[in-house]
């Protein structure tokens, strides 16, 4: 039988279907028309975004919920560069993504052709890998490799640049091609001797603490962690991206640690005599002043990426492997622990440093989130944007599913929350998705309201509208003598009217007394709803460990004295 020929574009779409791709988040242009054309004859749903940055965040949100690569399809030049923020966001948070870019024809490469941009070059620092396809016969191999690289080991984004003459060229694809990636190995099991040493350390510890990070979420280590926790009776804190892997409603959870972590999580960190990171890279928002972070405690690090060993802090034991597999290994060699005294202390801190906020005065963002949490009961996919609302959401919305909490951690990308919710909603049909956003960040990608409407998605956007770029204002308040510069959001639109202009439902909350009623209405109204919660303008997020300082500098409430600018911090 004669092997079947097809165009490069058809082979790409065929390859995506073989990978089980359900949705493509895309935007067309001259250089990718052949691929859009081939898409018409496939079973893949095109999610036509309104801006390529939004499309890339949608793919990211889809990937976080689904645990599989999100796929982006954009044109050359500005189409491709518009995705770079989304690609960098995915890279920083280890999100699997495959970005396919149209490119000018091969003969024009390097000639400053119309909409030519060297995107494989531009993207190199922010991808796991980038391809520029120069031979049409490479398409089957490149597609297979791209998904393998994106999804295995420490996941990340992979970019494929496809010159237009490659996508229009006829050829006979060979799908039997075997993956051959020498040097790309994926660790699974940790060294048994190291595991035994860690077990000894866990047995000896009087005040142990687990720190659950995004790696634990990615490897779906929740059940194994629960077994370890219940057997050894160890309290658990989680990073911003680790939320939900271990249910925050569990009595041994102390919630998020770090710059805006709960007071009780941070006291537990300060007093523990052993801390074990499960898939967290100890980022600077967590460790504060790295040299003194848990300096008197035994420090253990489980990570799938050998590059993380000793990067931020020195550890006593590094276990290289997949978080779930390594915890399962540990579970086979540890004995039940007796930590009653330690747990009693942790429980005391939980009462003493309970999250609190002002109830008098105008509407408090924390109150809206507190009530939202009560309404959601951990059963919604929650995304956040970046800023004060993000930190309050992390404090007040308790995550109980390992893949239902989506936030831009490493990159801190404003504009992420709403499009990520669109991707998340597509990955979890039937689950209500809530995007907690600020008035600043929402305006960066709100054009995707069209996309949410077209896809008929139950995305509830909760804008915590303080008419400020609140988090920057907070830093100017605390460290720059309240000299507000460039943070007033005067000129904000009427978000209710704006939602209505897109055909969505717009609701507004102005008083605490209306919060329950309006939130319930938002959930009861089918489809996309935007809630404009007009909150106090100048509330600050506490607790706060000022950047670059040790945990002992934690502010539990507004400081009574002027603060020094933290040293050399971002
Ligand atoms: C793309 C981008 N630009 C700038 C920043 C810096 N930044 C961090 S938080 C923040 C303020 C966000 O304001 P808003 O969306 O209103 O949220 P709020 O802090 O008021 O809750 C800014 C400007 C960023 N993180 N991302
Ligand atoms: Mg704001």
């Amino acid at each position: 039988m004669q092997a079947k020929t097809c165009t490069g574009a058809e082979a790409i779409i065929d390859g995506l279907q073989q990978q089980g791709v359900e949705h493509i988040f895309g935007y067309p242009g001259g250089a990718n028309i052949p691929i859009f054309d081939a898409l018409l004859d496939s079973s893949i749903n095109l999610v036509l975004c309104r801006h390529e940055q939004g499309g890339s965040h949608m793919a990211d949100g889809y990937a976080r919920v689904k645990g599989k690569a999100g796929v982006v399809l954009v044109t050359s030049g500005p189409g491709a560069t518009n995705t770079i923020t989304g690609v960098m966001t995915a890279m920083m948070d280890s999100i699997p993504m495959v970005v396919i870019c149209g490119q000018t024809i091969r003969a024009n490469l390097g000639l400053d052709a119309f909409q030519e941009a060297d995107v494989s070059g531009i993207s190199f620092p922010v991808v796991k890998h980038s391809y520029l396809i120069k031979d049409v016969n490479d398409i089957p191999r490149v597609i297979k490799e791209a998904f393998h690289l994106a999804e295995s080991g420490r996941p990340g984004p992979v970019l494929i640049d496809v010159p237009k003459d490659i996508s229009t060229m006829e050829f006979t694809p060979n799908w039997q091609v075997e993956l051959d990636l020498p040097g790309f190995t994926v660790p699974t099991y940790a060294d048994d001797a190291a595991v035994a040493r860690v077990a000894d350390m866990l047995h000896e510890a009087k005040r142990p603490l687990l720190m659950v990070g995004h790696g634990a979420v990615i490897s779906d280590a929740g059940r194994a962690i629960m077994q370890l926790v219940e057997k050894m009776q160890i309290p658990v804190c989680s990073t911003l991206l680790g939320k939900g892997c271990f249910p925050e409603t569990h009595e041994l959870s102390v919630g998020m640690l770090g710059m805006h972590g709960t007071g009780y999580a941070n006291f537990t960190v300060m007093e523990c005599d052993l801390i074990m990171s499960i898939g967290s890279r100890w980022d600077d928002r967590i460790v504060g002043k790295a040299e003194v972070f848990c300096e008197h405690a035994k420090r253990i690090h489980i990570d799938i990426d050998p590059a993380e060993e000793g990067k931020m802090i020195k550890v006593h034991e590094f276990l290289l492997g997949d978080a779930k597999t390594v915890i399962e290994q540990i579970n086979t060699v540890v004995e039940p622990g007796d930590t009653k005294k330690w747990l009693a202390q942790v429980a005391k801190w939980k009462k003493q440093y309970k999250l609190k906020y002002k109830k008098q005065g105008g509407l408090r963002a924390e109150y809206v989130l507190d009530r939202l949490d009560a309404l959601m009961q951990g059963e919604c996919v929650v995304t956040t944007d970046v800023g004060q609302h993000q930190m309050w959401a992390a404090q007040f919305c308790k995550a109980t599913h390992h893949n239902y909490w989506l936030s831009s951690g490493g990159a801190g990308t404003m504009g992420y929350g709403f499009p990520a919710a669109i991707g998340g909603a597509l990955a979890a049909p039937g689950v209500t998705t809530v995007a907690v956003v600020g008035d600043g960040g929402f305006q960066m990608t709100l054009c995707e309201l069209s996309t949410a409407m077209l896809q008929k998605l139950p995305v509830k956007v909760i804008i915590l509208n303080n008419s400020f770029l609140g988090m920057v204002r907070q830093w100017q308040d605390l460290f720059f003598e309240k000299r507000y510069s460039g943070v007033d959001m005067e000129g904000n639109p009427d978000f209710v009217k704006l939602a209505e202009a897109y055909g969505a439902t717009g609701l507004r909350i102005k008083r605490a007394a209306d919060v329950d009623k309006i939130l319930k209405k938002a959930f009861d109204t089918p489809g996309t709803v935007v809630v404009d919660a007009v909150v106090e303008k100048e509330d600050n997020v506490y607790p706060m460990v000022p950047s670059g300082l040790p945990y002992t500098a934690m502010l539990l409430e507004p400081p009574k004295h002027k603060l020094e600018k933290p040293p050399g911090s971002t």
Side-chain angles (χ1 to χ4, degrees):
M1 200 178 76
Q2 184 106 38
K4 249 183 100 198
T5 66
C6 66
T7 64
E10 286 162 353
I12 288 169
I13 296 299
D14 190 6
L16 297 182
Q17 291 188 116
Q18 290 177 37
Q19 296 292 331
V21 172
E22 304 172 294
H23 304 285
I24 283 184
F25 303 92
Y27 207 84
N32 70 6
I33 292 179
I35 311 177
F36 265 77
D37 184 68
L39 189 56
L40 279 180
D41 299 322
S42 78
S43 58
I44 301 174
N45 173 41
L46 169 68
V47 181
L48 181 65
C49 56
R50 290 307 190 256
H51 185 291
E52 293 89 346
Q53 180 189 347
S56 57
H57 294 324
M58 288 174 205
D60 171 315
Y62 175 86
R64 290 189 203 223
V65 173
K66 196 82 178 177
K68 287 175 69 171
V71 178
V72 182
L73 172 60
V74 293
T75 193
S76 63
T81 56
N82 272 350
T83 68
I84 294 296
T85 299
V87 171
M88 184 273 260
T89 304
M91 184 67 182
M92 290 292 272
D93 288 351
S94 307
I95 306 303
M97 185 186 285
V98 173
V99 182
I100 300 169
C101 306
Q103 178 58 282
T104 188
I105 58 171
R106 283 171 301 168
N108 277 351
L109 285 172
L111 302 183
D112 298 332
F114 179 63
Q115 293 191 328
E116 181 191 1
D118 173 11
V119 284
S120 50
I122 290 170
S123 67
F124 263 129
V126 291
V127 288
K128 199 164 165 188
H129 195 58
S130 264
Y131 294 92
L132 167 60
I133 300 188
K134 288 197 168 163
D135 180 343
V136 71
N137 293 298
D138 286 342
I139 288 176
R141 174 181 63 79
V142 168
I143 296 278
K144 283 186 175 181
E145 281 181 11
F147 277 83
H148 180 68
L149 289 171
E151 291 175 344
S152 57
R154 179 179 188 161
V158 175
L159 185 139
I160 309 174
D161 206 11
V162 190
K164 193 172 179 181
D165 56 324
I166 294 275
S167 55
T168 50
M169 191 176 287
E170 289 272 342
F171 78 123
T172 308
N174 170 20
W175 291 106
Q176 305 315 318
V177 59
E178 294 288 325
L179 281 184
D180 180 23
L181 293 166
F184 182 75
T185 52
V186 178
T188 49
Y189 290 91
D191 173 53
D192 280 329
V195 169
R197 287 195 297 275
V198 165
D200 287 345
M201 288 158 86
L202 286 167
H203 290 138
E204 276 160 30
K206 300 268 180 298
R207 300 184 306 280
L209 173 65
L210 300 186
M211 175 169 81
V212 174
H214 197 208
V217 172
I218 293 166
S219 97
D220 197 4
R223 192 177 299 201
I225 293 172
M226 180 65 80
Q227 272 173 12
L228 176 62
V229 167
E230 298 209 317
K231 191 169 191 184
M232 298 207 74
Q233 294 293 301
I234 306 178
V236 182
C237 62
S238 76
T239 67
L240 175 68
L241 297 190
K243 272 171 69 74
C245 185
F246 183 79
E248 292 184 288
T249 44
H250 193 286
E251 60 168 346
L252 293 183
S253 166
V254 291
M256 183 174 77
L257 83 162
M259 181 178 278
H260 291 296
T262 63
Y264 41 94
N266 287 349
F267 278 109
T268 311
V269 171
M270 279 189 264
E271 293 297 321
C272 70
D273 66 356
L274 176 149
I275 183 164
M276 181 160 88
S277 157
I278 310 172
S280 156
R281 61 187 169 83
W282 318 92
D283 107 317
D284 54 87
R285 262 34 185 177
I286 289 168
V287 297
K289 188 170 182 181
E291 307 88 274
V292 296
F293 179 78
C294 288
E295 59 179 333
H296 302 301
K298 286 273 186 307
R299 299 175 297 276
I300 302 165
H301 188 177
I302 301 170
D303 210 292
I304 201 160
D305 184 354
E308 290 299 339
E309 181 171 0
K311 190 183 84 179
M312 290 298 290
I313 64 164
K314 287 207 171 63
V315 292
H316 298 86
E317 207 61 67
F318 182 81
L319 299 179
L320 179 67
D322 170 66
K324 181 180 171 190
T325 311
V326 175
I327 298 294
E328 282 170 353
Q329 280 179 280
I330 293 175
N331 283 345
T332 61
V333 290
V334 287
E335 304 291 333
D338 177 12
T339 53
K340 275 197 203 77
K341 243 173 96 183
W342 172 231
L343 294 186
Q345 175 61 64
V346 173
K348 223 160 118 188
W349 283 325
K350 267 179 119 168
K351 274 205 194 110
Q352 198 175 347
Y353 299 108
K354 200 169 174 309
L355 287 166
K356 58 178 186 203
Y357 53 90
K358 281 196 209 132
K359 302 252 162 58
Q360 64 278 44
L363 182 61
R364 271 29 238 216
E366 298 99 311
Y367 179 70
V368 176
L369 292 166
D370 217 357
R371 299 311 302 158
L372 180 67
D373 184 51
L375 194 65
M376 298 190 298
Q377 303 267 330
E379 292 308 318
C380 297
V381 170
V382 179
T383 76
T384 77
D385 211 76
V386 171
Q388 292 186 307
H389 63 279
Q390 175 189 33
M391 294 298 118
W392 280 318
Q395 293 175 342
F396 287 89
C397 298
K398 290 181 197 67
T400 52
H401 291 264
H402 82 287
N403 55 346
Y404 274 20
W405 169 262
L406 286 59
S407 196
S408 167
T413 302
M414 282 173 73
Y416 170 83
F418 174 49
I422 293 175
L426 284 162
V431 180
T432 299
T433 299
V434 176
V436 178
V437 300
D439 48 312
F442 183 49
Q443 291 184 71
M444 289 195 174
T445 46
L446 63 73
C447 54
E448 305 302 347
L449 276 167
S450 294
T451 316
M453 291 304 293
L454 279 171
Q455 299 289 326
K456 300 186 171 48
L457 294 174
V459 174
K460 314 299 171 190
V461 181
I462 314 292
I463 309 171
L464 293 173
N465 183 358
N466 51 14
S467 300
F468 267 119
L469 297 174
M471 189 54 97
V472 179
R473 184 204 54 71
Q474 171 165 345
W475 285 42
Q476 292 175 348
D477 176 4
L478 294 176
F479 309 116
F480 288 82
E481 292 156 0
K482 229 181 172 80
R483 283 161 54 87
Y484 291 168
S485 178
V487 290
D488 193 331
M489 283 281 95
E490 191 186 2
N492 271 347
D494 178 329
F495 288 109
V496 171
K497 282 193 186 151
L498 193 91
E500 285 166 358
Y502 280 95
T505 304
L507 302 170
R508 180 166 287 124
I509 311 177
K510 284 184 157 174
R511 305 178 314 151
D514 294 335
V515 169
D516 283 357
K517 191 177 66 197
I518 305 266
L519 287 181
K520 190 160 179 319
K521 190 165 176 197
F523 278 66
D524 289 345
T525 307
T528 305
V529 180
V530 175
V531 178
D532 180 27
V534 182
V535 298
E536 272 292 309
K537 292 181 73 167
E538 298 190 53
D539 278 347
N540 289 344
V541 185
Y542 295 103
M544 178 178 191
V545 181
S547 159
L549 294 187
Y551 273 43
T552 45
M554 174 168 61
L555 303 164
L556 288 160
E557 51 192 37
K560 306 221 165 25
H561 50 88
K562 194 171 149 274
L563 295 174
E564 294 295 319
K565 270 184 213 136
S569 63
T570 50

